[in-house]
Amino acid sequence: MSNEARRTAAPPASDRPLPRRTVAQYAIGSLGTGGFGTLPGLVLTYYLTDSLGVTALLAGIIVSASKIWDVIVDPVIGALTDRDLARRGTRRRLMLVGSLALPVFFALTFAVPPALGPAVGAVWVLVAFLLTATAFSLFQVPYIALPAELTDSYDARTTLLTWRVVVLTFAILLFGAGGPMLRSITGDPTTGYLVMGIVAGVTIGVGMLIATGAARRAHGTRPTMQTAAGATATNAAIVAHEVAGDPERGPTVEPSAFGSGIRGNFRAAFDALRRSQPFRVLLGTFLLQALATGMMLAGAQYFATWVLRSEDAVTLLFVALIAPALIAAPAWGWLARRRGKEATFAWASIIYAVAAAAIVAAAWAPGAWVYAPVAVAGVAYAGMQSLPMAMLPDVIAHDAARHGPGRAGAFGGVWTAGETTGFALGATVLSVVLAVTGYVSSTAFESVTQPDAAVTGIVLSFSVVPAALIAISLLTLARYRLRRTDVDV
């Protein structure tokens, strides 16, 4: 190509900014992901133990069972959404089904009549929440895969995911503070939980539904899904046999990448995990941090009720956590563009760990001062959410450049499974601590007193244990080797 042609040629995909409408549609999806990730984690265990009378250990098992199911089904959904992309040119179909189904099952989860008793209530919640989690995975897995297809740019992905986290932090504030307020609006815990389930479920579904527009828009603008010969993932299955064995044509997509039955779906997922060292490291780091934040999230209502002695204090805890995060999210994106995502991610994690550890003093001197370290943790939390999610598309693009495109859904499935596992284990560890320290469960309108050991366990679960998990995650993050020069080529 002549110098004149180079000057007049269209800029490469990596230099073109994403349309604002695409960025907005994608970001609004986090209204759904943030709501689903926050509200059940905040109130579901507490709903089981303090409204339905389910023991703490059984409540933890129920929450964990739904997440174990996610680990099973997410890789399957990942391979199915890759196959949708290859055959239909879009991941929208599964996202749409999940968006429409989730509000119904979410409301049913919190519609248990307490008169049925703890045993029936436990089974009801288990079945309803399993269906809810499945609907959410149908949306979440392809949603996570989209950024790698929307742009090739290292910095554009940071911008895209930064705005996603701005909406995510707003959603956490909205659902974390608004959910408990909705629960108390009727003055009756039974109808209050039902109102909360209906309103929150519809809001989550609407946010997810809007985001399906970004999936439709990704068709025809999937730079990372192109082969060197210019083929997109839509026709990659056709092109694969034509260019196989020709190194000048670039990487190809193996038909097995899209899975063939359940065994093939899991093979595609585990191949992605085995093949990519940066993915294993990033996933391990994020899983540990999800465990830490999931434990704090599940413990927030217990901390408000039994340490701060106000069930409504959970709203203030979430305001203190998320209000600073709304401001901090763009700042973390700005810093990442200058210092690198991985270094900035490490600093955010360190700040969060120090702030969480400081809350342990509430065991001896509970009071309003705890909102200060919670606010500092909120600033760090924005970076801990946006940066790994901005690094994931880089990992997917790096793998596509080395092994061929068409596997973003497989990566998304494994990532979602790891994330949900971390959050589930957070609630499980909390429930074990509550059981060991003698926490007393109760039904609605029943008054109980907790032993000092249980209150101490709640404090430790909200401070020292999460801080230790974040510290361990930094050791994993230190092994992440992918840099800008490996991605922007």
Side-chain angles (χ1 to χ4, degrees):
M1 181 183 291
S2 66
N3 291 335
E4 181 65 25
R6 289 191 181 97
R7 284 193 297 269
T8 58
S14 60
D15 293 336
R16 293 197 297 269
L18 283 169
R20 291 182 179 179
R21 183 178 177 183
T22 300
V23 174
Q25 285 180 318
Y26 185 78
I28 289 172
S30 282
L31 184 65
T33 62
F36 185 79
T38 300
L39 195 54
L42 174 65
V43 303
L44 188 56
T45 305
Y46 189 77
Y47 172 60
L48 288 162
T49 60
D50 285 54
S51 185
L52 301 182
V54 178
T55 64
L57 192 57
L58 180 56
I61 292 173
I62 291 172
V63 175
S64 299
S66 66
K67 301 309 180 181
I68 292 172
W69 171 245
D70 284 340
V71 174
I72 296 172
V73 76
D74 285 353
V76 177
I77 294 174
L80 291 176
T81 189
D82 280 343
R83 187 159 56 189
D84 265 3
L85 183 65
R87 293 178 175 178
R88 303 169 184 267
T90 177
R91 300 184 185 274
R92 187 168 182 258
R93 183 175 66 100
L94 295 183
M95 295 175 70
L96 187 60
V97 172
S99 301
L100 297 175
L102 184 138
V104 177
F105 297 134
F106 192 89
L108 285 174
T109 300
F110 295 98
V112 185
L116 295 178
V120 175
V123 174
W124 179 314
V125 171
L126 174 62
V127 173
F129 198 59
L130 280 176
L131 293 171
T132 307
T134 302
F136 180 71
S137 291
L138 289 173
F139 170 84
Q140 170 82 335
V141 172
Y143 179 70
I144 286 177
L146 286 181
E149 298 158 15
L150 290 170
T151 178
D152 271 338
S153 170
Y154 180 92
D155 287 331
R157 291 179 191 136
T158 302
T159 300
L160 179 66
L161 273 299
T162 295
W163 283 110
R164 177 192 167 185
V165 170
V166 169
V167 177
L168 178 69
T169 51
F170 171 76
I172 294 171
L173 176 61
L174 176 67
F175 287 91
M181 292 175 65
L182 283 172
R183 179 186 59 190
S184 61
I185 199 170
T186 66
D188 175 5
T190 301
T191 58
Y193 273 112
L194 179 58
V195 170
M196 182 197 73
I198 293 172
V199 174
V202 170
T203 305
I204 291 170
V206 169
M208 292 162 57
L209 193 61
I210 292 173
T212 62
R216 183 177 61 247
R217 195 170 300 275
H219 179 48
T221 59
R222 297 186 303 275
T224 63
M225 303 304 289
Q226 293 175 319
T227 66
T232 66
T234 305
N235 60 14
I238 300 174
V239 174
H241 75 275
E242 296 177 351
V243 299
D246 184 354
E248 295 183 0
R249 298 295 296 276
T252 65
V253 179
E254 300 176 7
S256 62
F258 306 116
S260 55
I262 294 178
R263 181 178 178 182
N265 294 339
F266 276 98
R267 178 184 174 186
F270 286 109
D271 280 352
L273 186 62
R274 173 187 54 80
R275 188 172 58 245
S276 176
Q277 188 271 348
F279 182 58
R280 292 195 302 273
V281 170
L282 187 62
L283 178 64
T285 302
F286 196 69
L287 191 152
L288 285 167
Q289 296 197 353
L291 173 57
T293 55
M295 193 171 187
M296 292 188 73
L297 179 64
Q301 182 68 77
Y302 294 96
F303 188 85
T305 302
W306 299 109
V307 179
L308 299 181
R309 297 295 175 179
S310 170
E311 190 173 88
D312 295 333
V314 68
T315 298
L316 295 177
L317 283 173
F318 266 83
V319 171
L321 178 70
I322 303 306
L326 282 169
I327 301 171
W332 286 115
W334 175 86
L335 188 61
R337 285 189 287 272
R338 283 153 180 80
R339 300 297 182 184
K341 299 176 190 179
E342 61 286 338
T344 308
F345 183 24
W347 277 109
S349 303
I350 292 170
I351 293 171
Y352 187 94
V354 172
I359 300 174
V360 71
W364 300 278
W369 66 267
V370 300
Y371 297 122
V374 168
V376 174
V379 171
Y381 181 74
M384 287 169 54
Q385 285 292 302
S386 62
L387 295 167
M389 286 190 287
M391 293 159 71
L392 178 60
D394 297 337
V395 170
I396 295 173
H398 179 257
D399 180 81
R402 297 178 64 189
H403 302 286
R407 301 173 177 88
F411 279 95
V414 176
W415 181 269
T416 302
E419 179 182 10
T420 54
T421 298
F423 277 111
L425 289 176
T428 302
V429 173
L430 172 66
S431 68
V432 170
V433 172
L434 293 177
V436 169
T437 55
Y439 186 84
V440 181
S441 299
S442 60
T443 57
F445 304 113
E446 183 182 358
S447 179
V448 298
T449 300
Q450 300 298 340
D452 292 341
V455 177
T456 301
I458 291 170
V459 174
L460 293 176
S461 300
F462 199 71
S463 57
V464 173
V465 178
L469 290 167
I470 297 295
I472 296 172
S473 76
L474 288 168
L475 300 178
T476 307
L477 180 60
R479 299 177 58 241
Y480 184 82
R481 298 287 182 258
L482 206 58
R483 298 295 184 266
R484 180 193 296 269
T485 53
D486 300 311
V487 179
D488 268 350
V489 294

